[in-house]
């Protein structure tokens, strides 16, 4: 009795309540193990939740160079997912970026095409890697943004490629945007000058790519991109 008010005794949980809480905790742990831990740590996905949540690649070594192989980024981000933050904290949005194994590169070049000439500039990119680009031309040029996967689909020939954007009719004088590589391979542009005069194309890119491949008159030249300064 304190200040005329009685304080009810706090009863300890019963054995049945303890067993019930323990069973519930074990069930939650089992669900987490099969849906998150197995895909992320063991690379196994019996319930297919690992693929849906983008967890499968977490089981791969962070640096495959330790065993003599090149690092491969193979994780295209899923659509952004909004999760509520803790009380008083900002919400969390997952699926907005893909971590890379090295820093981004930049490339700036000027291409000159005579009447009837064409040229390709492509960048070798890992699947899920991104690139920001801008190109402008002194005259309208026909073009195609396309790619050649390192590993082609079964039955596809050596000339197999995938088209992402093109204008082979009236042509354009400029294009600007962002690009996410859908596969590990060579990704880039073919420009075709169908005008009666010379064309100068100025191309600037910044992104995660390994090297550049130039193809003009069926002569392929491997180029190295610049580093940010």
């Amino acid at each position: 009795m304190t200040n005329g008010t009685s304080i009810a005794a706090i009863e300890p949980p019963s054995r049945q309540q303890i067993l019930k809480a323990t069973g519930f905790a074990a069930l939650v742990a089992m669900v987490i193990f099969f849906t998150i831990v197995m895909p992320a740590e063991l690379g196994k996905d019996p319930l297919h939740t690992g693929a849906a949540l983008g967890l499968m690649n977490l089981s791969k070594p962070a640096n495959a160079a330790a065993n003599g192989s090149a690092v491969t980024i193979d994780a295209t981000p899923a659509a952004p997912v909004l999760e509520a933050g803790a009380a008083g904290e900002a919400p969390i949005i997952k699926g907005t970026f893909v971590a890379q194994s090295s820093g981004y590169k930049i490339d700036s070049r000027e291409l000159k095409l005579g009447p009837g000439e064409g040229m390709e500039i492509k960048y070798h990119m890992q699947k899920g890697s991104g690139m920001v680009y801008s190109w402008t031309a002194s005259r309208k040029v026909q073009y195609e943004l396309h790619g050649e996967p390192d590993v082609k689909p079964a039955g596809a020939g050596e000339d197999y490629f995938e088209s992402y954007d093109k204008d082979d009719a009236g042509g354009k004088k400029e294009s600007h945007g962002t690009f996410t590589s859908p596969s590990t391979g060579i990704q880039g542009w073919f420009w075709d000058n169908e005008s009666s005069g010379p064309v100068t194309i100025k191309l600037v890119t910044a992104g995660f790519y390994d090297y550049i491949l130039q193809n003009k008159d069926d002569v392929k030249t491997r180029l190295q991109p610049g580093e940010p300064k």
Side-chain angles (χ1 to χ4, degrees), residues 27-62:
L27 178 61
V28 171
M30 186 177 297
V31 171
I32 293 174
F33 178 78
F34 280 101
T35 60
I36 297 177
V37 176
M38 283 188 70
E41 299 294 335
L42 305 179
K44 297 181 180 180
D45 194 16
L47 302 179
H48 305 291
T49 54
L53 297 174
L55 301 174
M56 294 303 295
N57 288 287
L58 297 179
S59 62
K60 297 180 180 179

Side-chain angles (χ1 to χ4, degrees), residues 111-193:
L111 316 172
K112 295 185 181 297
L113 299 177
E117 284 189 331
M119 175 185 284
E120 282 186 314
I121 291 291
K122 294 181 180 177
Y123 300 83
H124 188 268
M125 303 175 67
Q126 301 294 323
K127 180 178 179 180
S129 295
M131 177 171 65
V132 180
Y133 71 88
S134 266
W135 63 260
T136 59
S138 57
R139 294 171 180 258
K140 285 186 176 181
V141 289
Q142 297 179 6
Y143 75 93
E144 181 171 29
L145 174 60
H146 62 290
E148 301 175 34
D150 286 352
V151 180
K152 296 176 173 57
E158 286 298 317
D159 295 333
Y160 174 86
F161 69 92
E162 298 166 344
S163 181
Y164 313 131
D165 179 43
K166 69 177 181 179
D167 188 331
D168 54 7
K172 288 183 178 180
K173 293 184 67 175
E174 61 183 282
S175 180
H176 319 278
T178 58
F179 174 77
T180 301
S181 183
S183 62
T184 297
I186 297 292
Q187 319 287 355
W189 295 268
F190 169 74
W191 293 278
D192 185 20
N193 178 18

Side-chain angles (χ1 to χ4, degrees), residues 13-14 16 19 23 46 51-52 61-62 64 88 96-97 100 106 119 122 129 153 166 205 211 216 220:
S14 65
Q16 183 178 5
L19 291 176
T96 59
F97 74 98
Q100 304 293 327
I106 57 176
M119 175 185 284
K122 294 181 180 177
S129 295
K166 69 177 181 179
T205 67
Y211 61 85
K216 186 176 183 182
K220 296 182 179 180

